[in-house]
Amino acid sequence: MPTTVRIMPNPPANRLVVALAYDGLCTFEFGVAVEVFGLERPEMGPGWYRFAVAALEPSPLRAAGGVRVMADGGAALLAAAGTILVPGWRGAAEPVPPAIAAALRAAHDRGARVLSLCSGVFVLAAAGLLEGRRATTHWRYLDALRAAHPGITLVPDVLYVDEGSVLTAAGSAAGIDLCLHLVRRDFGPAAANSVARRLVVPPHREGGQAQFIPRPVPVEREGVRLGPLLDRMRARLDAPQPLEALAREAGMSLRTFIRRFRETTGMPPGEWLLRQRLDRARELLEQGQGALEDVAASVGFGSAAVLRLHFRRRFGTSPGAYRARFAG
C-alpha cells in the first residue's frame, strides 16, 4: 500500500508526552511508551521529550502481569500534554469512561497529538477522534472496531497510520514502529536511529508494511536458499537483478521463486529490491556522500532522475531537499 512518510523534522513546541494509565493497563504497550519517550537521553540535548503518566482513575492501578502503577497526575497532566499516548485498552468490548473520552477530545481540540497502540484505538474511537479518518489496529480487533465505529476508514494490513494529529498502530510491536516514526518526524532520522539502536530494533519499518506475512519463518530448505540470497541482493544493489537470474541463483523455477519470495518477505522481489535501494540511498544522503548521480548509480537507479522519481513517491520530498536537511 502506498504511503507518504513524514520525514522532515519538526520538533513540537510542547515536548510533554503523557501516557494514559488505567485499571487493567496493557503492560507491553505502556512499556514501549516509557522506553521511547520516558528514558533520559542526554545525548539528545535539552530539547528532548519530557514524560509523565496520567490517570483519571484512583491509583494504584493494576496492569497485566500483576504490576501496580502509580500515576504522576490526572486531568491537569492530560490538559498540559503536547502528545498523549494511549496503550492497548483493557478490552474491545469494555466501555471507555466518558471522562477519558472528554479529556482526549479537549486535549486534541487545543492542539495535542494523540496516539493509540494496538487496542488503544477503541479509546480514540470512543472520543470521536477517528470519525472520517484513516486508522488501524491489531488484525484481530478490526471486525469489532468496524462494527462499533463504521465512520472510521480502516486500513487493515499496515503497521501504523499517521493522520497528522491522530496516529494509530496495529499490534503491540507495531507500537514501537509508530513511536520511532514520531521520533523521526519530530527530530529526524539520526535521533530515531539512536533510539532504535538502544532498543536493538530496526530503525525504520514503513507504516504501509503488512502486519504479518503468511509464513514469517520459512522451512529450513527455503531459508537456506533465500536467506543468503537476500544478503547477496543487498550487497549488489548497484547491479541489475533480473528475476530469471535470481530464480536460478535460488535453485527454483521462476514461478516458485516469486511465490516463495513473497511468502518469506511479504512482498514481490521487485518491490523488496526497490525498498532496499531507496533505504540505501537515504543512508548515503544522510551521510552526505557523493553527488546525486553517484548515489543513484550506487544503488542501481542509473540516473538521478529515476532516483528523484522513486524517492519522491516514497518519502514525499526530493533527494536534494532530504540531504540538505539531514546530511551530517
Side-chain angles (χ1 to χ4, degrees):
M1 177 172 296
T3 58
T4 298
V5 181
R6 302 170 185 268
I7 54 175
M8 291 303 180
N10 184 25
N14 185 342
R15 308 294 176 88
L16 178 60
V17 178
V18 174
L20 177 68
Y22 52 85
D23 200 49
L25 181 67
C26 291
T27 308
F28 182 90
E29 289 87 347
F30 179 73
V32 168
V34 174
E35 183 72 26
V36 175
F37 301 111
L39 299 187
E40 290 188 6
R41 300 185 188 275
E43 69 276 14
M44 297 299 184
W48 191 245
Y49 302 106
R50 296 178 294 120
F51 182 80
V53 180
L56 298 182
E57 298 170 307
S59 296
L61 305 168
R62 295 169 300 157
V67 178
R68 295 290 187 271
V69 176
M70 295 290 293
D72 298 310
L77 265 179
L78 293 174
T83 301
I84 297 174
L85 191 147
V86 182
W89 186 236
R90 50 191 170 217
E94 290 291 326
V96 176
I100 291 179
L104 292 180
R105 279 196 304 272
H108 182 262
D109 287 347
R110 63 165 176 76
R113 301 179 299 190
V114 184
L115 288 72
S116 69
L117 308 186
C118 196
S119 56
V121 71
F122 288 96
V123 180
L124 272 58
L129 300 181
L130 298 178
E131 286 298 307
R133 297 180 186 267
R134 297 164 60 251
T136 193
T137 187
H138 192 288
W139 55 266
R140 65 188 292 227
Y141 296 127
L142 288 167
D143 290 341
L145 183 61
R146 185 179 292 111
H149 301 279
I152 301 173
T153 301
L154 284 181
V155 187
D157 195 21
V158 298
L159 295 179
Y160 56 82
V161 172
D162 180 346
E163 286 283 280
S165 62
V166 180
L167 303 91
T168 53
S172 299
I176 300 174
D177 296 295
L178 177 57
C179 291
L180 288 175
H181 167 71
L182 191 62
V183 172
R184 187 180 187 91
R185 191 176 120 181
D186 288 348
F187 294 99
N193 292 349
S194 176
V195 176
R197 280 194 299 271
R198 199 154 150 184
L199 284 165
V200 196
V201 297
H204 183 232
R205 291 197 299 169
E206 282 190 71
Q209 184 170 325
Q211 289 190 28
F212 63 92
I213 54 180
R215 296 168 62 190
V217 181
V219 298
E220 182 177 356
R221 179 171 58 84
E222 293 167 3
V224 169
R225 292 181 182 181
L226 288 182
L229 176 60
L230 295 178
D231 291 337
R232 293 194 295 271
M233 290 172 69
R234 291 189 188 95
R236 59 186 188 220
L237 294 175
D238 58 329
Q241 303 198 42
L243 283 176
E244 294 80 2
L246 293 173
R248 286 195 301 271
E249 192 172 345
M252 303 177 187
S253 70
L254 179 59
R255 181 178 297 179
T256 299
F257 172 71
I258 293 173
R259 184 176 70 252
R260 299 295 191 226
F261 197 100
R262 183 187 286 272
E263 290 173 345
T264 301
T265 67
M267 64 190 73
E271 182 180 348
W272 183 89
L273 190 58
L274 175 63
R275 293 190 182 195
Q276 298 301 312
R277 284 173 165 153
L278 286 169
D279 285 343
R280 179 56 181 156
R282 189 182 62 194
E283 291 175 2
L284 294 174
L285 292 169
E286 291 171 5
Q287 295 165 12
Q289 295 186 7
L292 200 56
E293 288 287 349
D294 296 332
V295 172
S298 69
V299 298
F301 283 124
S303 72
V306 177
L307 172 61
R308 289 189 189 98
L309 174 66
H310 290 294
F311 202 92
R312 185 172 290 279
R313 282 179 177 173
R314 180 174 176 188
F315 299 119
T317 189
S318 70
Y322 187 90
R323 177 162 55 188
R325 181 62 64 93
F326 293 128

